[in-house]
Amino acid sequence: MFKRKLYDLLIDWKKSTINKTPLVIKGVTRCGKTTLVKYFGKENYKYVVYIDFKQDEKVKEIFNSYININDLILSLSSCNKDYNFIENETIVIFDNIEYNLNAISAAKIFMETLSIDVVITTSMDIKKYTDFDIVNLYPLDFEEFLFAHDNHDELADYIKTCVLNNEKINETLHKKLTKLFSIYICVGGFPEALLEYFKTHHLNNVRSIQEKIINSIIDSFGKTIKNNNTLYIDNTKKERMKEIFLSINNQLLKDNKKFLYTLLKQKASSREYKESLDELESINVIIKSHNMNTINTPLSKNIIDSVFKIYILDIGLFVSMQDLEISHRILNKEYNICNNALYESIIADAFIKNSRPLYYFKKQSGLEIDFVIFYNGSIKLVELRKTTGNTKAYKQILEDNINYSNVNHLIKFQDENISISNNTYIYPYYLASFIY
């Protein structure tokens, strides 16, 4: 199994004792949820009770008809001789809980009555059905890719130290990381795509896997819960979600990358598509970056709700939807392609996989800031492009001590090593995954 940063959170959750509830892990289909929780269970508990509500109709029926917790344990034990329910020694894994939301009440009883830990996985947003803690699992970011590639933590720890101390990375290592990052951009972070890359090092094979992943993601669209907690597919919503998802390329290849409903079809409107768009975001398929009316803290309070860009969650999937020639150009460290959409998608991918919300700033005058983040205690502007066309905008804001008095620093992502000049931090693109 690939090392995942979320594993440490699972360990902390296991050790916790105060107000502990079942833990819900939400993530897009095929991002590695099942593999992670099974490995966690195997390594940290004597007994693992694994239940997949998508596959096991018999068990699903048990949860729909049990009388009390003792009746439930009796029924489950009778259908699987390997199920053991022992206080503090067993973990129960409810995989694909959206296929049987009636099991949520049982999860709470297991923990509160029997001191048996419960982890739940889902590819849906189920927060309105439970008050349990919900954490997101994304496809692997570049730091996790390095764990998988080098099979040790020392490299990532060294990079973090360099970022923390603003020290140059060893030049030989910098060149190696730049090359590895180009590979990561093409392969992305879905475990199956990474496994194929490590096995064959063949991009065409990887692309075949990525195509299957995209098809699986599209197949998962439209899931809806009825009033009786049963799951069905809303085909109208599914089709709208598919239209939005498949429009992302066209949205990003424009000069003005603001999301336009009219690119979906003539006379398309927010009223028709907003629910489907919001659902794509809630199930971790797309990433929204909102424009702001001003740059001030908290950033979330200054968004213009109707003005935003959208990105595909995983950079590898975005690249796989381009011509194969694009991958060859990326491997030659040529990122100034796709009308700057690649630059933005790289950073959006890195930021969101570290749970950093996305914001940008654009005024009607043409002044535009690629991303705005709150990092290390202050607001920082983020500049991506190699071209100098928007440099004036950054300078204008940094020098405006009246309207933007709390904006004092700029992060420029380029191909170069770490350096600092006055209030500007220059980072190579691969460091975006190390800005927590």
Side-chain angles (χ1 to χ4, degrees):
M1 190 202 85
F2 296 128
K3 178 180 177 181
R4 306 303 304 269
K5 290 188 281 190
L6 194 64
Y7 187 83
D8 292 337
L9 183 146
L10 287 170
I11 294 295
D12 291 341
W13 170 79
K14 181 182 187 300
K15 294 176 181 176
S16 65
T17 56
I18 301 174
N19 299 324
K20 186 175 179 180
T21 68
L23 184 67
V24 179
I25 298 178
K26 184 184 76 171
V28 66
T29 183
R30 299 172 84 157
C31 73
K33 302 184 297 295
T34 301
T35 302
L36 174 63
V37 296
K38 280 185 168 181
Y39 179 79
F40 169 70
K42 179 183 176 184
E43 292 296 308
N44 293 278
Y45 295 84
K46 187 172 182 180
Y47 305 106
V48 177
V49 174
Y50 173 76
I51 297 169
D52 184 354
F53 289 113
K54 184 177 180 180
Q55 303 293 336
D56 199 329
E57 289 294 331
K58 184 178 180 181
V59 170
K60 187 158 52 172
E61 199 53 47
I62 290 173
F63 277 89
N64 290 337
S65 59
Y66 74 94
I67 301 170
N68 54 44
I69 192 65
N70 291 328
D71 178 55
L72 177 61
I73 290 174
L74 178 65
S75 298
L76 290 173
S77 301
S78 66
C79 74
N80 190 321
K81 63 181 178 59
D82 294 325
Y83 284 174
N84 290 286
F85 298 88
I86 309 298
E87 179 179 343
N88 297 321
E89 293 185 355
T90 296
I91 183 171
V92 175
I93 298 171
F94 289 164
D95 206 0
N96 297 303
I97 192 70
E98 65 269 26
Y99 286 87
N100 193 350
L101 290 174
N102 293 328
I104 285 178
S105 58
K108 194 170 185 177
I109 296 170
F110 271 125
M111 290 197 66
E112 291 182 352
T113 306
L114 302 177
S115 297
I116 290 175
D117 285 349
V118 181
V119 173
I120 296 168
T121 78
T122 181
S123 58
M124 282 187 70
D125 184 5
I126 63 166
K127 60 175 176 274
K128 66 168 131 181
Y129 303 101
T130 177
D131 58 357
F132 301 159
D133 289 334
I134 300 176
V135 295
N136 291 306
L137 181 68
Y138 300 105
L140 282 74
D141 69 3
F142 182 59
E143 181 180 355
E144 292 171 316
F145 174 83
L146 292 179
F147 294 153
H149 187 274
D150 288 320
N151 200 29
H152 59 71
D153 299 348
E154 287 83 358
L155 179 56
D157 290 340
Y158 168 71
I159 295 170
K160 291 176 192 174
T161 300
C162 290
V163 173
L164 184 65
N165 298 325
N166 293 309
E167 298 173 348
K168 282 188 180 293
I169 291 172
N170 172 278
E171 197 59 37
T172 300
L173 189 54
H174 168 65
K175 291 177 181 177
K176 175 185 176 182
L177 288 167
T178 301
K179 180 178 180 181
L180 288 175
F181 188 61
S182 295
I183 295 169
Y184 171 76
I185 292 171
C186 296
V187 176
F190 277 89
E192 291 166 86
L194 284 167
L195 284 170
E196 185 62 31
Y197 165 71
F198 289 128
K199 178 182 175 182
T200 67
H201 295 85
H202 199 299
L203 272 188
N204 280 339
N205 293 355
V206 172
R207 281 188 161 233
S208 295
I209 298 294
Q210 289 168 325
E211 183 178 348
K212 291 176 183 177
I213 292 170
I214 288 172
N215 289 334
S216 292
I217 290 172
I218 291 173
D219 285 344
S220 72
F221 292 166
K223 289 180 184 175
T224 306
I225 306 296
K226 292 181 181 178
N227 291 333
N228 63 353
N229 280 354
T230 58
L231 185 73
Y232 77 101
I233 302 299
D234 182 329
N235 287 317
T236 299
K237 183 165 68 173
K238 178 173 184 172
E239 187 57 33
R240 288 174 181 168
M241 292 171 73
K242 181 179 177 181
E243 288 177 52
I244 295 167
F245 180 73
L246 295 178
S247 82
I248 295 179
N249 254 355
N250 290 335
Q251 303 281 356
L252 291 178
L253 293 177
K254 309 190 309 302
D255 289 335
N256 182 352
K257 303 185 189 317
K258 170 190 168 185
F259 180 83
L260 296 176
Y261 289 99
T262 51
L263 278 187
L264 304 176
K265 65 180 182 182
Q266 274 191 330
K267 297 184 180 179
S269 65
S270 169
R271 175 186 293 182
E272 183 180 3
Y273 283 92
K274 186 178 186 303
E275 181 185 355
S276 298
L277 182 68
D278 290 344
E279 177 137 343
L280 283 169
E281 183 180 30
S282 74
I283 63 174
N284 300 344
V285 171
I286 66 166
I287 315 160
K288 268 188 188 176
S289 179
H290 275 283
N291 194 9
M292 300 188 296
N293 50 38
T294 188
I295 302 178
N296 208 338
T297 55
L299 298 178
S300 60
K301 296 296 184 183
N302 298 300
I303 66 169
I304 306 170
D305 193 53
S306 60
V307 182
F308 53 88
K309 307 173 187 178
I310 65 172
Y311 304 94
I312 296 174
L313 173 70
D314 183 69
I315 185 63
L317 292 193
F318 173 73
V319 172
S320 76
M321 297 170 81
Q322 317 303 318
D323 293 337
L324 184 60
E325 175 210 355
I326 296 296
S327 296
H328 294 305
R329 292 172 68 182
I330 291 169
L331 292 174
N332 287 322
K333 306 176 187 64
E334 185 181 347
Y335 300 164
N336 190 19
I337 48 183
C338 301
N339 198 17
N340 290 318
L342 181 65
Y343 285 130
E344 294 189 21
S345 296
I346 287 170
I347 302 304
D349 172 274
F351 283 176
I352 205 66
K353 286 177 180 176
N354 278 308
S355 300
R356 180 177 294 284
L358 304 182
Y359 309 100
Y360 72 101
F361 186 57
K362 183 171 184 177
K363 299 179 72 173
Q364 289 185 344
S365 63
L367 181 150
E368 183 172 4
I369 306 300
D370 295 321
F371 290 101
V372 181
I373 64 173
F374 190 82
Y375 172 60
N376 272 354
S378 66
I379 294 175
K380 291 180 173 59
L381 310 181
V382 177
E383 181 182 2
L384 311 179
R385 304 178 181 98
K386 291 181 179 177
T387 53
T388 57
N390 61 345
T391 299
K392 185 178 178 181
Y394 293 87
K395 185 177 180 182
Q396 180 180 330
I397 290 178
L398 290 170
E399 292 179 352
D400 187 342
N401 295 320
I402 297 175
N403 296 308
Y404 308 108
S405 58
N406 58 348
V407 183
N408 302 305
H409 295 94
L410 168 66
I411 295 176
K412 293 181 73 170
F413 284 104
Q414 298 183 353
D415 290 336
E416 289 125 19
N417 209 324
I418 296 175
S419 66
I420 302 175
S421 176
N422 297 322
N423 58 356
T424 300
Y425 298 82
I426 294 176
Y427 291 154
Y429 284 98
Y430 60 77
L431 282 192
S433 291
F434 294 84
I435 295 180
Y436 298 147

